[in-house]
């Protein structure tokens, strides 16, 4: 089966869709560009399917390359057979190719290799053939040769046994079957190195579970416990079943002379050579699968976080809480520009509460602040109490939101933050970031390494290259879904736009600073290192408000401007009607999309996309996402009682449940069994990060700071 057919089958798409997508990827087109502007070619494959296709395409191409290397190596040795070649070409995974290549791979000097050098291969063949009537001691005596290092009959038999054991171990069919038996019926078990030691891994101190059933987050927990030298982890295979299977394959004749030796050899081959290797493979495979699952969850959580709706047209006061060093304050205007910064000391040890409140009141009055963005770190609880007191003393409505400050310290100490705010210290930068995270979460969060945003599990234990690629893909998809304003976007935002590299992003900002605002998308072609191909990839994702061409403010690609102009003419509109918002309901004026697309010489899917864009130009997809909860009062953990129903924000989704912020500075856990009445395999089937949810308190443990919540049974 060729790669295109395999991709189509695996992803459940048509072969022509897979072929078109592969061709576009090979031509250097980015996933966001293909997903948005080549729907006609791919049959409207979305970015998620395209990313899966791209990942599998790389794997399958690596597999084909490996097969060719293996075939070439075996042919060079003069050992290739038609049957073996067919098996290699039919292999579906790299593991199977390795199994088939094992007997032909150049080996280091194994016990079997040394025995062969001593001339013991014929003795091994006598035992394997199971035809001899003589005693094996008698057969072995002919191979005793002190000059070759074979001093005794026993050493001759031991060497022959090593040769047979390695031959058994190298048999690809045996390994494939043993791997299947181990995965199907084996267990993964862990024990504590010190059963008396207290740790977070106590549930794994006496643990075992079927390999076929174990879930990803347990694998990652076992791996971490093992790495921290708290647990020992092993695979418990159905050893006796495997030995019986091997005996059945190898001991064809019940020869009383050879059978006992072959039985001992089979056990040795399995225990010494096969089992450790299979255990490593299974552990690696389980880890890879668990990591892929965790990366998928992390990606979904990150997408939800990045796609949180911006709170627009509000002057925001960012509050980065602390004790000894004081709370850093930054006021930003509606565009995110920092207007003022200061430091107040309302918390211990200074406790200058009244003085601090007076400073905040002045800032609220001076800059017409309507929203306070409070970070959820150290001293957040104490700061919230003061904010609530303060709000009650004001004569105008001001609300506050608690924002997740994960990654703020990483950003505020970064080179990027130093370039953005050279005159600020890390605290002031962090406070400005708190405020901007509300105004435009996407624009602010792209400045931070996605791993530092804190919406995953075990992210530091994973394959970092794979994690970084996956998360960068998520950020890229989000930025391109929303689009960027070419005249205000930061370098951090621009570098995620389709076709734009870090260097080109810097060049765009440099061009803007040197020449003033962009008046048209076509000006991008004047930016250093931004050629026609990059322009094709990026143009549709950039926006220019109040530019020369109203279409530059929409997601309509410049390649479709001419067709869009003809469409407007046919429907009796001008380009100015787009920005004036006079095009609502134009979809109703097109009675036959197929006919219209033929008249305009564009695809029907493209036409529908253009019409949708003209009706709602530059519509922000984040508008559909749940808005953050704006608060004006405070609740403490001790105020919670079982049965209390609260509104909360989903902060993190894991394999075993979701963590919900209910405004008491300690996120509550909704276990997967308490999310909904129907059966779900994963919490993501029902909830996402950023969702606003009604939850009921089940139990509160003040000492351990644990809150158990449920989403079931709430009308």
């Amino acid at each position: 089966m060729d790669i295109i057919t395999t991709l189509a089958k695996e992803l459940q798409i048509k072969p022509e869709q897979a072929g078109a997508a592969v061709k576009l990827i090979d031509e250097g087109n980015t996933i966001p560009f293909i997903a948005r502007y080549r729907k006609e070619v791919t049959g409207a494959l979305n970015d998620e399917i395209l990313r899966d296709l791209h990942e599998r395409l790389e794997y399958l191409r690596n597999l084909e390359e490996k097969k060719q290397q293996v075939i070439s190596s075996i042919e060079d040795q003069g050992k290739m057979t038609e049957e073996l070649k067919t098996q290699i070409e039919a292999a579906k995974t790299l593991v199977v190719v390795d199994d088939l290549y094992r007997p032909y791979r150049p080996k280091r000097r194994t016990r079997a290799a040394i025995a062969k050098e001593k001339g013991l291969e014929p003795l091994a063949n006598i035992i394997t053939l199971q035809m001899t009537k003589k005693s094996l001691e008698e057969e072995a005596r002919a191979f005793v040769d002190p000059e070759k290092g074979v001093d005794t009959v026993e050493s001759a038999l031991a060497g022959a046994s090593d040769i047979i054991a390695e031959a058994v171990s190298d048999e690809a069919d045996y390994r494939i079957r043993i791997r299947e038996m181990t995965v199907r019926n084996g267990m993964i078990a862990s024990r504590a190195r010190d059963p008396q030691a207290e740790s977070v891994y106590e549930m794994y101190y006496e643990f075992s579970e079927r390999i076929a059933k174990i879930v990803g987050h347990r694998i990652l927990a076992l791996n971490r416990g093992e790495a921290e030298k708290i647990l020992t982890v092993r695979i418990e295979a159905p050893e006796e079943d495997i030995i019986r299977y091997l005996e059945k394959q190898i001991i064809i004749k019940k020869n009383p002379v050879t059978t006992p030796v072959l039985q001992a050899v089979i056990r040795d081959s399995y225990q010494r050579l096969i089992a450790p290797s299979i255990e490593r493979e299974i552990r690696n495979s389980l880890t890879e699968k668990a990591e892929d699952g965790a990366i998928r969850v992390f990606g979904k959580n990150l997408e939800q976080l990045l796609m949180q709706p911006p709170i627009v047209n509000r002057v925001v006061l960012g509050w980065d809480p602390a004790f000894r060093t004081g709370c850093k304050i930054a006021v930003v205007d509606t565009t995110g520009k920092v207007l003022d910064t200061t430091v107040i000391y309302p918390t211990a040890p200074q406790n200058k509460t009244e003085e601090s409140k007076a400073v905040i009141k002045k800032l609220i009055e001076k800059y017409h602040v309507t929203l306070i963005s409070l970070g959820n770190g150290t001293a957040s609880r104490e700061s919230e109490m003061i904010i609530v007191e303060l709000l009650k003393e004001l004569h105008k409505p001001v609300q506050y939101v608690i924002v997740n400050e994960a990654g703020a310290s990483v950003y505020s100490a970064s080179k990027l933050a130093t370039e953005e705010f050279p005159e600020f210290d890390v605290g002031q930068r962090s406070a400005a970031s708190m405020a901007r995270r509300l105004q435009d979460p996407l624009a602010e969060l792209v400045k931070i390494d996605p791993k530092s945003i804190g919406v995953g599990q075990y992210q530091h234990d994973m394959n970092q290259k794979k994690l970084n690629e996956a998360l960068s893909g998520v950020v890229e998809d989000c930025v391109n879904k929303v689009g960027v304003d070419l005249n205000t976007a930061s370098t951090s935002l621009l570098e995620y736009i389709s076709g734009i590299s870090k260097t080109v992003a810097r060049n765009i900002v440099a061009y803007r600073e040197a020449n003033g605002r962009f008046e048209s998308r076509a000006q991008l072609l004047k930016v250093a290192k931004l050629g026609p191909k990059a322009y094709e990839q990026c143009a549709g994702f950039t926006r220019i408000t109040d530019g020369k061409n109203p279409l530059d403010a929409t997601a309509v690609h410049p390649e479709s401007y001419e067709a869009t102009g003809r469409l407007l003419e046919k429907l009796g509109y001008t380009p100015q009607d787009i920005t004036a918002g006079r095009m609502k309901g134009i979809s109703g004026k097109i009675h036959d999309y197929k006919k219209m697309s033929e008249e305009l010489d564009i695809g029907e899917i493209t036409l529908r996309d253009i019409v949708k864009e003209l009706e709602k130009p530059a519509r922000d997809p984040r508008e559909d996402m749940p808005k953050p909860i704006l608060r004006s009062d405070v609740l403490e953990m001790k105020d919670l009682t079982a049965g209390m129903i609260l509104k909360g924000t989903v902060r993190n989704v894991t394999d075993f449940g979701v963590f919900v912020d209910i405004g008491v500075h300690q996120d509550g856990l909704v276990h997967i069994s308490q999310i909904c009445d129907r059966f779900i395999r994963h919490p993501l089937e029902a909830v996402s990060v950023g969702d606003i949810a009604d939850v009921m308190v089940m139990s509160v443990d003040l000492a351990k700071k644990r809150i158990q919540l449920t989403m079931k049974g709430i009308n």
Side-chain angles (χ1 to χ4, degrees):
M1 201 187 296
D2 68 359
I3 286 178
I4 300 298
T5 312
T6 304
L7 287 169
K9 195 174 176 185
E10 285 182 3
L11 298 167
Q12 296 180 320
I13 58 178
K14 293 174 184 168
E16 49 270 33
Q17 287 179 294
V22 169
K23 186 170 183 289
L24 287 165
I25 288 167
D26 286 345
E27 286 168 359
N29 296 289
T30 67
I31 300 298
F33 176 78
I34 298 169
R36 180 70 180 80
Y37 297 111
R38 291 296 177 262
K39 291 179 182 176
E40 229 77 50
V41 185
T42 68
L45 294 179
N46 65 32
D47 47 17
E48 203 171 322
I49 290 174
L50 286 165
R51 286 206 184 277
D52 287 345
L53 180 142
H54 191 200
E55 192 180 318
R56 284 298 291 156
L57 175 65
E58 282 187 7
Y59 180 88
L60 292 170
R61 281 181 170 168
N62 287 339
L63 178 63
E64 286 308 311
E65 197 178 316
K66 176 81 172 177
K67 286 178 185 178
Q68 292 315 310
Q69 287 170 358
V70 165
I71 289 169
S72 173
S73 172
I74 299 171
E75 281 175 345
D76 289 347
Q77 295 171 41
K79 295 176 182 175
M80 181 58 77
T81 65
E82 276 308 311
E83 187 191 358
L84 179 57
K85 192 172 185 179
T86 305
Q87 280 181 298
I88 294 168
E89 286 172 344
K92 297 280 194 297
T93 65
L94 288 164
V95 172
V96 173
V97 175
D98 277 335
D99 284 345
L100 293 165
Y101 185 41
R102 183 177 290 274
Y104 309 97
R105 183 186 285 123
K107 287 185 171 66
R108 55 188 174 78
R109 286 185 80 238
T110 60
R111 279 162 47 172
I114 293 164
K116 283 176 185 176
E117 287 167 14
K118 291 176 179 178
L120 295 170
E121 203 163 6
L123 178 58
N125 292 339
I126 289 167
I127 299 169
T128 309
L129 286 168
Q130 307 166 60
M131 308 252 309
T132 184
K133 298 281 191 288
K134 297 180 193 174
S135 73
L136 288 183
E137 285 74 12
E138 199 178 330
E139 294 281 14
R141 206 164 286 125
F143 294 90
V144 174
D145 185 345
E147 282 185 19
K148 289 184 178 176
V150 186
D151 298 320
T152 62
V153 165
E154 287 73 21
S155 63
L157 286 170
S161 296
D162 287 338
I163 293 168
I164 301 166
E166 189 175 271
V168 171
S169 164
D170 282 347
E171 187 60 54
D173 288 346
Y174 299 167
R175 282 183 164 266
I176 292 165
R177 179 86 172 109
I178 290 167
R179 194 181 294 112
E180 282 171 4
M181 290 170 78
T182 308
V183 169
R184 192 172 61 244
N185 300 318
M187 310 287 283
I188 184 163
S190 62
R191 300 288 176 268
R193 288 189 172 206
D194 176 3
Q196 266 64 56
E198 285 188 14
S199 80
V200 293
Y201 303 104
E202 283 167 31
M203 72 169 283
Y204 298 109
Y205 280 11
E206 281 287 331
F207 172 83
S208 78
E209 189 166 352
R210 291 269 302 278
I211 292 168
K213 291 282 173 70
I214 192 158
V215 289
H217 67 89
R218 290 217 177 104
I219 291 292
L220 296 175
L222 289 171
N223 288 354
R224 181 181 279 187
E226 186 177 43
E228 291 176 15
K229 301 200 169 8
I230 291 166
L231 303 174
T232 58
V233 183
R234 68 185 185 284
I235 297 288
E236 293 175 347
E239 185 170 316
E240 294 311 313
D241 291 349
I242 291 167
I243 299 289
R244 274 197 299 277
Y245 157 73
L246 286 172
E247 286 179 353
K248 207 170 170 186
Q249 305 307 307
I250 296 158
I251 304 172
I252 311 297
K253 300 161 183 153
K254 296 290 180 192
N255 183 333
V257 174
T258 55
T259 296
V261 174
L262 284 174
Q263 284 175 327
V265 164
I266 287 165
R267 194 168 286 275
D268 172 58
S269 177
Y270 174 69
Q271 292 175 341
R272 181 169 59 86
L273 300 172
I274 302 173
S277 165
I278 297 281
E279 174 160 356
R280 270 195 309 277
E281 287 169 11
I282 289 173
R283 290 283 307 273
N284 288 341
S285 170
L286 288 172
T287 299
E288 196 175 332
K289 204 170 163 191
E291 283 182 354
D292 288 347
I295 288 170
R296 246 191 325 276
V297 173
F298 199 151
K300 287 283 180 199
N301 287 347
L302 181 63
E303 181 185 2
Q304 295 296 322
L305 193 63
L306 294 174
M307 295 298 280
Q308 285 180 113
I311 296 181
V312 294
N313 301 322
R314 303 280 288 260
V315 178
V316 180
L317 183 145
W319 183 312
D320 182 17
F323 286 115
R324 186 180 51 77
T325 54
C327 300
K328 318 303 184 291
I329 306 296
V331 179
V332 303
D333 71 7
T334 54
T335 66
K337 181 185 168 193
V338 179
L339 302 173
D340 209 335
T341 67
T342 189
V343 184
I344 57 174
Y345 299 90
T347 53
Q350 288 92 336
N351 294 315
K352 296 178 180 176
T353 308
E354 292 308 316
E355 192 181 305
S356 300
K357 278 165 41 178
V359 171
I360 299 296
K361 282 176 186 173
K362 274 185 191 166
L363 290 171
I364 289 172
E365 195 60 44
K366 182 177 178 181
Y367 297 110
H368 309 292
V369 173
T370 59
L371 195 56
I372 296 172
S373 175
L374 171 66
N376 66 346
T378 309
S380 177
R381 174 42 115 221
E382 293 72 12
S383 297
E384 187 184 10
M385 301 287 192
I386 292 155
I387 290 169
V388 170
E389 275 179 35
L390 171 78
L391 298 187
K392 287 173 182 168
E393 295 166 15
L394 295 173
H395 303 298
K396 54 193 262 186
V398 176
Q399 294 164 302
Y400 75 94
V401 178
I402 295 169
V403 295
N404 187 345
E405 62 179 57
S409 56
V410 175
Y411 159 72
S412 55
S414 69
K415 183 171 177 276
L416 180 66
T418 310
E419 288 169 0
E420 200 173 357
F421 300 115
E423 71 284 9
F424 289 177
D425 64 25
V426 290
Q428 291 167 304
R429 291 174 197 150
S430 188
S433 182
M434 290 302 101
R436 287 171 162 190
R437 281 185 186 205
L438 271 188
Q439 291 182 320
D440 192 341
L442 180 61
E444 198 59 28
L445 290 170
V446 291
K447 299 172 186 174
I448 300 160
D449 175 359
K451 292 200 298 290
S452 303
I453 292 175
V455 287
Q457 54 182 359
Y458 302 105
Q459 56 260 42
H460 301 294
D461 303 338
M462 292 181 210
N463 178 323
Q464 295 301 296
K465 183 175 180 284
K466 198 187 271 190
L467 178 64
N468 288 335
E469 282 173 2
L471 298 185
S472 293
V474 171
V475 180
E476 187 183 20
D477 288 342
C478 291
V479 172
N480 287 286
K481 268 177 197 157
V482 173
V484 299
D485 186 321
L486 207 45
N487 288 310
T488 60
S490 66
T491 308
S492 311
L493 206 51
L494 286 165
E495 69 187 44
Y496 280 106
I497 286 293
S498 167
I500 295 180
S501 65
K502 276 184 163 67
T503 305
V504 172
R506 281 196 291 271
N507 292 349
I508 290 171
V509 173
Y511 180 90
R512 197 169 69 198
E513 286 168 356
N515 300 284
R517 56 177 274 122
F518 283 90
E519 293 298 336
S520 78
R521 281 170 169 167
Q523 264 178 277
L524 280 167
L525 288 163
K526 295 179 181 176
V527 173
K529 297 188 177 175
L530 200 157
K533 182 69 179 177
Y535 177 71
E536 178 192 52
Q537 299 295 303
C538 75
F541 302 108
T542 61
R543 308 277 180 270
I544 298 171
T545 46
D546 304 322
K548 288 178 182 173
N549 186 341
L551 287 172
D552 283 349
T554 72
V556 176
H557 197 282
E559 67 190 8
S560 301
Y561 280 7
E562 195 187 322
T564 306
R566 293 203 305 276
L567 173 69
L568 292 171
E569 209 176 298
K570 280 177 181 290
L571 298 176
Y573 290 99
T574 67
Q576 284 63 42
D577 290 327
I578 301 167
T579 41
R582 289 194 283 264
M583 306 200 68
K584 285 181 176 63
I586 66 158
S587 55
K589 294 191 172 188
I590 302 172
H591 304 298
D592 188 337
Y593 272 89
K594 192 171 187 302
K595 188 181 171 199
M596 179 67 85
S597 68
E598 284 166 2
E599 285 175 22
L600 297 172
D601 195 24
I602 54 172
E604 192 180 329
I605 302 174
T606 304
L607 174 61
R608 288 181 185 277
D609 276 351
I610 291 169
V611 168
K612 199 193 290 181
E613 192 58 33
L614 295 176
E615 284 191 315
K616 275 191 163 185
R619 178 185 164 275
D620 192 330
R622 295 175 294 176
E623 290 169 12
D624 301 335
M625 304 294 279
K627 305 280 188 288
I629 298 173
L630 305 181
R631 304 181 190 276
S632 55
D633 210 342
V634 70
L635 197 62
E636 290 189 61
M637 200 166 162
K638 62 181 172 58
D639 300 332
L640 299 177
T641 54
M644 188 182 274
I645 293 173
L646 302 158
K647 205 169 274 297
T649 307
V650 175
R651 288 283 181 220
N652 198 4
V653 179
T654 68
D655 291 343
F656 54 83
V658 299
F659 290 93
V660 180
D661 171 12
I662 50 173
V664 297
H665 282 270
Q666 184 60 51
D667 291 350
L669 172 67
V670 183
H671 188 265
I672 186 169
S673 60
Q674 293 297 324
I675 291 174
C676 54
D677 292 316
R678 65 188 169 86
F679 171 76
I680 53 173
R681 292 186 182 281
H682 198 281
L684 279 173
E685 292 174 37
V687 282
S688 302
V689 166
D691 281 359
I692 307 301
D694 289 323
V695 292
M696 184 163 69
V697 178
M698 290 173 73
S699 66
V700 180
D701 186 332
L702 290 171
K704 290 186 176 174
K705 292 195 169 179
R706 282 184 188 161
I707 304 166
Q708 293 286 341
L709 304 170
T710 181
M711 293 177 173
K712 289 160 93 171
I714 302 169
N715 296 322

